[in-house]
Amino acid sequence: YIGGTTMRKRITALLLTLIMCLALLPAAALAEAFVVEGGICDDGLSWVFYSDGKLVISGSGMMMDYEQEMFNDPTVQSGLNARSSAPWGKYYADIKSAVINEGVKSIGKFGLSYCRNLVSVIIPEGLERIEDRAFDDCNSLESIYIPSTVTYIGDDLTFWLNVSLKSIDVSPDSVSFSSKDGVLFDKAGTTLICCPGGMTGEYVIPTGVTTIGKGAFGQCNSLTGIVIPYTVTEIGDYAFRFCRALKSVNIPDGVKSIGTETFRNCTSLTEIIIPVGVNTIGGYAFYDCTALKSVEIPASVREIGTVAFNGCSALKSASFLGSAPERFGDIVFNTCARVFKIIAPADDASWKGDAYDPDKGTWNGYKISFGDDGGNDSGNFFSRMLDSIREILHNLFSWLPFC
């Protein structure tokens, strides 16, 4: 009986010791991640998603391109949400980390898109391509490292909506790309490919850059200013789209075209100087720049695209310094300020062609005045007074639904 009591005491002591040891272990050691789902995703590639939020892609070969998949989601206002059509796309809200193992040669289109809780990704040496929109809307991702073997990065929204991204770093051994202060360039440093969406304050583009790539600053919501050097001669489509805090930006004299959606929804932009030499303003170029109050169009501009200034609700005038554009898109200045008008040179007959209605005092449907006096072609005092009255009434009663 005494021996039994001693044995029970020893067993109890061992159990207590074991419980104390288990209590000191981290929870992760007690609850090891398990496989939630996995399978074959391409010829030679497989995937596994674990309960701790880790996605692992392994094998040898290229990842296929996927598509954007819309689905019903009652948690969002529109009732619709997006995810990748990849087999792991159903876990878009649960993926927290992604490991691409050696042997995988590419990250396909929409490969990791819409993984909005993804905070880290490991890209191996040996990977060669990152396709368009591969990381679209990964808005929790803070940094990404591009290995030396990557020779292609898509130029269509590859890192779009990555609003937490602070840096894109590149292996110094890369022959195709480089990084400076977390901004992605080509190897020569002449093309700015992507500024991370989480950058804040003012950014000064290095002298020597000649091209700002397509969507390069898109969705940089916290950038307030961008200084563009004189060396830049090309600005890609939607380069500054949705830079909602952007108050100032200069366009160098060497730029010949302002592309499609270049400044779309830059809602804090109050003024823009379009340099002499620009010949084209693309469609939607300044769409919904709601703080823009006036714009001067140099004589070199021969084409203005559809909806170029539509939605610029504070825009009161567009001063043209030369002949009427040869190509003028639809609804270019619609939904601008109620008192909006075009100001054209007094001695330029091109403004009085087929698009001009002398009875209504309009050109292409927009009110027009000639010369610097702000009146119509005869300097009508009453027309100017009516403009002032309209503006005062609009400001007083703009809160009414019909004003």
Side-chain angles (χ1 to χ4, degrees):
Y1 177 79
I2 294 175
T5 301
T6 302
M7 182 60 68
R8 283 197 296 272
K9 287 181 178 180
R10 288 178 178 176
I11 293 172
T12 302
L14 287 171
L15 288 173
L16 288 172
T17 302
L18 179 61
I19 291 170
M20 291 174 66
C21 290
L22 291 173
L24 293 173
L25 288 174
L30 298 176
E32 186 175 345
F34 57 87
V35 173
V36 175
E37 190 180 355
I40 303 298
C41 51
D42 299 292
D43 289 341
L45 297 185
S46 61
W47 67 281
V48 179
F49 177 62
Y50 293 91
S51 60
D52 61 356
K54 179 189 290 185
L55 172 69
V56 178
I57 300 174
S58 306
S60 178
M62 295 282 188
M63 183 189 296
M64 68 178 289
D65 288 337
Y66 295 101
E67 298 178 352
Q68 181 190 62
E69 183 177 274
M70 303 302 295
F71 65 98
N72 293 324
D73 186 351
T75 65
V76 297
Q77 186 175 3
S78 66
L80 288 174
N81 209 334
R83 62 190 176 198
S84 169
S85 64
W88 53 84
K90 68 184 80 171
Y91 301 109
Y92 75 100
D94 302 312
I95 295 173
K96 298 176 182 178
S97 64
V99 176
I100 313 296
N101 281 328
E102 289 187 21
V104 179
K105 299 299 182 183
S106 71
I107 300 175
K109 187 174 183 178
F110 289 106
L112 291 168
S113 295
Y114 308 110
C115 294
R116 299 185 181 102
N117 292 308
L118 178 70
V119 295
S120 69
V121 59
I122 296 175
I123 301 175
E125 287 289 338
L127 192 111
E128 299 170 0
R129 296 176 63 89
I130 300 175
E131 303 293 347
D132 294 339
R133 305 191 74 165
F135 292 95
D136 183 5
D137 205 358
C138 294
N139 57 27
S140 296
L141 190 64
E142 295 186 356
S143 65
I144 191 166
Y145 181 80
I146 309 296
S148 65
T149 51
V150 173
T151 58
Y152 175 83
I153 297 176
D155 65 355
D156 187 8
L157 306 178
T158 302
F159 301 104
W160 178 244
L161 285 173
N162 286 197
V163 295
S164 297
L165 193 63
K166 300 295 193 301
S167 66
I168 303 172
D169 299 311
V170 178
S171 167
D173 297 325
S174 173
V175 297
S176 302
F177 303 102
S178 62
S179 178
K180 183 176 181 179
D181 299 325
V183 178
L184 180 65
F185 296 86
D186 67 347
K187 184 62 177 181
T190 57
T191 298
L192 193 157
I193 298 170
C194 184
C195 178
M199 184 166 284
T200 61
E202 182 180 79
Y203 178 70
V204 179
I205 298 175
T207 301
V209 172
T210 60
T211 301
I212 297 174
K214 185 188 295 185
F217 290 87
Q219 204 70 35
C220 289
N221 285 330
S222 299
L223 274 182
T224 56
I226 299 171
V227 179
I228 305 176
Y230 69 93
T231 52
V232 169
T233 58
E234 182 179 350
I235 299 176
D237 292 344
Y238 42 87
F240 306 100
R241 183 170 66 170
F242 292 104
C243 289
R244 292 190 174 94
L246 187 64
K247 296 179 180 179
S248 64
V249 62
N250 61 300
I251 302 176
D253 292 339
V255 173
K256 302 301 180 187
S257 175
I258 298 174
T260 301
E261 299 189 40
T262 299
F263 294 97
R264 177 175 179 169
N265 286 94
C266 291
T267 53
S268 297
L269 193 65
T270 57
E271 64 176 347
I272 190 77
I273 297 175
I274 300 174
V276 174
V278 169
N279 51 53
T280 302
I281 298 174
Y284 290 84
F286 295 93
Y287 177 73
D288 264 1
C289 290
T290 53
L292 192 63
K293 294 180 179 179
S294 64
V295 64
E296 195 171 79
I297 312 292
S300 57
V301 172
R302 308 312 310 137
E303 178 179 359
I304 301 179
T306 298
V307 201
F309 293 91
N310 193 4
C312 296
S313 54
L315 189 63
K316 297 178 180 179
S317 65
S319 298
F320 285 80
L321 304 184
S323 300
E326 297 169 3
R327 293 172 294 280
F328 190 79
D330 296 330
I331 57 176
V332 169
F333 293 108
N334 282 36
T335 62
C336 290
R338 290 291 184 93
V339 296
F340 173 81
K341 61 185 173 185
I342 290 173
I343 301 174
D347 56 351
D348 194 322
S350 68
W351 289 95
K352 295 185 178 180
D354 293 340
Y356 177 59
D357 186 333
D359 295 327
K360 295 180 180 179
T362 60
W363 182 85
N364 262 311
Y366 301 107
K367 183 173 174 58
I368 188 169
S369 63
F370 294 91
D372 296 330
D373 64 354
N376 58 22
D377 54 334
S378 63
N380 191 300
F381 167 78
F382 294 103
S383 177
R384 296 197 302 273
M385 184 172 67
L386 182 59
D387 283 346
S388 298
I389 292 171
R390 284 173 177 167
E391 183 174 1
I392 292 169
L393 290 174
H394 176 62
N395 290 335
L396 285 173
F397 301 107
S398 60
W399 56 273
L400 292 172
F402 50 80
C403 288

